[in-house]
Amino acid sequence: MYREDFPLPDVTYLDSACMSLRPEKVIEKVNRYYREYPGCSGRSSHSISQKASKELEQARRKVANFIDASRGELMFTSGTTEGINTVARGLDVERVFLTEREHNSNRAVWQELGVETVNMEGLDTDFLESELREGDLLSVLHVSNLDGKVFDVEEACRIADEQGAYSLIDAAQSIPHRPFSVQSIEPDFVAFSGHKMLGPSGTGGLYVAKKVQEDLSPLKYGGGAVENSSFSGNERKSFPQGFEPGLKNIAGFTGLGAAVEYLEDIGMEKIQRHEEKLTDEIVRGLEEADVKVFCEGPGIVSVAFNSVTHGEAAQYLDRRDIKVRAGRHCVHPWFNDRNFDGTVRASLHLYNTEEDVEKFVKEVRKLSRL
Ligand SMILES: Cc1ncc(COP(=O)(O)O)c(C=O)c1O
């Protein structure tokens, strides 16, 4: 689907959970910043700088609309990791509730900060109702980067809210692939990555609901985020500008705005259906193969081989121009707990084709017979 919009040599790219490809439209938008209005946003008053400010705020509006939020509820970040770190370091919480599938980006920071973690297999509503209390944070992923498992974050956020706890969704693997609305899920925070949703590298966003903005402190302080300052203190701007000091990644964020436009033009339901279909084809194609398949939802299929290691398998596939990721996919505890050392992961996006799937299935079958 739409493969011709994406400039890449003729390879089977199956690593979109790590980073997606970008369409020409996004690349053009990034270039346009450097060619046409390469100024400081939000600082100087000349026309080039004003154009940069205008484009940046338009991008913010587009990205916020894309998740059903308002412009005043979205700060730009370098990705999901920075979003989660912003909450971890800027919100006062007693305990954090995590699932066993959390990415290291939603685990390491809590461990480093010494916040008590409650580790859960999944989102058991009875457990959440009885255990969550005021001062806690439910911080969970929406879709697993390991096997595509989808968690019912809507119900979980509702319970967190009822219990007086905060909620944070790691939407790194959901916002790029399915319709997502903060108005129906009603979380307090949502972190996501632009480079997994056809946007430039090092871009992302953190949604912060109006009602919790006052509870959060910024991760960084500095110029552009300050209304006024004296030798003894400063008056910080409100969210989001007060949380985005220093010169912003204007090229990247305007590119992210273009990515969102591109996704909207196609339609997220259509993208989701396309990925569901291709995922089913991979799973069916591997039914008879001597491999273990981990797939609990659309878009991501992890495969463990008996015949070769995951590293050897990925190298073999790479030599045949099939790009996958091998290893523990930053979910080390899940693997360590089960005493095995990793999988080969195929992850899809809208540009993947039936040919990609056929090629992957054919080579995995061959490998399993080695
Ligand atoms: C579920 C999940 N959370 C967080 C991250 C970290 O995202 P980033 O590296 O863009 O900060 C990833 C990246 O793979 C992910 O899959």
Side-chain angles (χ1 to χ4, degrees), residues 26 53 102 158 165 182 197 253 309 321 367:
V26 169
S53 304
E102 297 311 321
R158 188 190 59 72
V182 292
M197 52 193 280
F253 298 137
T309 66
D321 279 338
L367 258 172

Side-chain angles (χ1 to χ4, degrees), residues 17-18 78-82 84 103 105-106 141 143-145 170 172-173 193 195-196 325 345:
C18 192
S78 63
T80 307
T81 306
E82 187 175 289
I84 296 174
H103 190 278
S105 290
N106 189 26
L141 39 61
V143 172
S144 163
N145 62 309
D170 172 348
Q173 301 294 346
S193 303
H195 55 263
K196 297 183 199 292
R325 179 163 167 190
R345 181 185 70 187

Side-chain angles (χ1 to χ4, degrees), residues 36-56:
E36 296 173 17
Y37 52 98
C40 282
S41 63
R43 295 186 182 177
S44 314
S45 59
H46 56 76
S47 60
I48 292 179
S49 174
Q50 280 187 11
K51 168 84 172 153
S53 304
K54 196 168 146 224
E55 290 281 346
L56 184 72

